[in-house]
Amino acid sequence: MTSAPGQANYFRVEGGNRLEGEFRVQGAKNAVLKQMAATILASGEHHLHNVPHIDDVDIMSELLASMGIGSEWAGDDHLVVITPGASGIKPLADYELVEKIRASVVVLGPLISRLGNATISMPGGDDFGHRPIDMHLAAISELGAAFTTSHGYVEGKAARLRGADIALEFPSHTGTDNVLMAAVLAEGTTTISNCAREPEVSDLARMLNSMGARISGMGTSTLTVEGVPELRPANHTIIPDRIDASTALGAVGMNQGEILLRGARAEHMEMLLRKLRELGLEILPDSAGLLARSSARLRAVSISSLPYPGIATDFLPILVAMLSTADGDAIVTENIFAGRFKYVDELRRLGANMTTHGHHVAIRGVSSLQGAPVKATDIRAGAALVVAALAAEGESRVYGTSHIDRGYVDLPRRLTALGGKVERCSDKH
Ligand code: EPU
C-alpha cells in the first residue's frame, strides 16, 4: 500500500468514540516472517495458514522469489510456498530487499544449513538505532560456518554444520530463530542456552518439528536440537499476534467500551495483562479469545520492557500512549532498544505531558489529548499514535502509514468495525 509519487498517505482519525464489538487478532508477524524463511529448508509445497496479509509478508515473498522460491495466496490467510531442490535456490539476499525488511536476515541460517553458503546484505541501523547481527554470526560460526564481510555483504560458508553448545550473550529473538534454523540440519546435537523464549520462537520450533526436525525445550531458556539429514514441507497454522492484540487493548483502554479479541491467547501475554489490569482494564477469558472492558479513567503504573516473559518492547509505545491520559505519574523504561522513543515527541503534539531521560520516559497523565497531525516513525510507534488519536478530542492525521501497513492487516478497517473512526486518505502535495 505504498503512496503514488506526489502523494502522502495518512489515516484521518476522529477521536472520542466508545469501542464495541469484535476484533479478530491477525496471525503473528514476528512468527510468519521466520516461518517463510524456514521454507528454504525443505523442497516441495509448504502450506502456511493464518498468515497476515501485511506489507512485510509481501516483501518476504519478494525476497524468497529473488532466490527462486515461489509463493502465492490460496485464500485470505493461506500462503503456499514452493521450494525447489537445493540447486534451484540462489543463496543471495540483495541490498534492495534487506534494506526494506531487517527480518530478512533470518534467511542466513537456513541457507547455510541447506546449501552450505549464503551471501546477505548487512542490515543497517533503523529508526530505533543501531541493530547489529554480531550474535547471529557468532552463534552460527560455532556450528562451523566461516563469515567474511566485504562491500556491505556478509558471506558465510560451511562444508557441513556440526552441532555445538552455544550460549547467546543476550536472548536475541531473531538471533535464536537464525541459529535454530541453522542447527536443524547440522550433524549432531546443538544446545542454545540463554535463547529467546518468545511464543513466536516456540511457534517456529513447532513448525520445524512438524517438518521432521527434533527440537525440545520450547518456552524455556535452553533449546536442544538433534540434527536430522533432511526435512519435509510444512503445513502449519501461525499463532495469533500478541502485539496486534495489545493494540486493540490499548484502544479500548483509552476510549472505554467492551471488545472481544477473537483468537487472542492470554498465555502469550500474561505480564502485559497483569499490567493492563493494574491500569484498570477488565480482561476476562472467553472461549473465543479474551473479553476486554474499560469503563473509567486508567490509573498510572510504572513499566519496564524486558525479554519474554517480561513486557515486550513492542508493547511499550501502546502502553506509553495509554499512560498519557492515565490518572497520575509513571516512569516507563525501555531496556531493549535504547533509541525507541521517537514517538514521544509526536504524543506531545497531541498534548501528552511526558519527557524522555535516556532510556526512561517520565509521564504525567493529562485529562485529555487534542487531535493534531502526527508522524509514525516505525510500526509500533504508528499503532500507538492511532490508538492515542482515537482518544483525542477532534481530528488527527497520522502520517507514515507505510510503517503501520508493514505490520498490521488494514488497521483502519478493523478499528472502524469497533466504532472507531479511522479513514485511509491521501494528500496531494
Ligand atoms: N542485538 C545485538 N546483536 C545481535 C542481535 C541483537 O546487539 O546480533 C541487540 C539489539 O541491538 C537489541 C537487543 O539485542 O538491543 C534485542 O534485539 P533482538 O535481536 O531480540 O531483536 P530482533 O530479533 O532484531 C525482534 C522483533 C522486534 C522486537 C524485538 C524484541 C522480529 C522480526 N522483530 O527483533 O519486532 O522488537 O525482537 O522483542 O521478530 C516489531 O515487530 O515492530 C519489531 C521491531
Side-chain angles (χ1 to χ4, degrees), residues 143 163-168 171-181 183-184 188-206 208-209 214-227:
L143 298 175
D165 291 331
I166 299 169
L168 296 180
S172 159
H173 185 161
T174 46
T176 304
D177 294 328
N178 228 344
V179 67
L180 188 59
M181 288 189 278
V184 284
T189 303
T190 299
T191 59
I192 313 166
S193 55
N194 196 27
C195 66
R197 298 165 62 187
E198 270 78 0
E200 295 78 16
V201 175
S202 302
D203 199 45
L204 171 65
R206 268 191 298 275
L208 292 167
N209 278 352
R214 302 185 62 188
I215 305 166
S216 57
M218 277 86 90
T220 74
S221 52
T222 302
L223 287 166
T224 303
V225 188
E226 283 173 54

Side-chain angles (χ1 to χ4, degrees), residues 29-31 33-34 56 101-106 126 128 130-137 169-177 196 198 200 242-243 306-308 312-314 335-338 340 378-380:
K29 169 180 88 74
N30 289 346
L33 297 175
K34 310 5 165 4
D56 270 9
I101 179 176
R102 258 199 114 266
S104 54
V105 67
V106 291
D126 70 5
F128 32 95
H130 177 56
R131 291 182 72 180
I133 58 163
D134 55 317
M135 291 179 209
H136 300 230
L137 302 184
E169 220 175 291
F170 181 91
S172 159
H173 185 161
T174 46
T176 304
D177 294 328
E198 270 78 0
E200 295 78 16
R242 60 202 164 101
I243 322 288
L306 277 178
Y308 192 85
T313 167
D314 293 339
N335 290 311
I336 313 294
F337 294 112
R340 206 175 187 178
D378 71 69
I379 304 175
R380 310 303 169 191

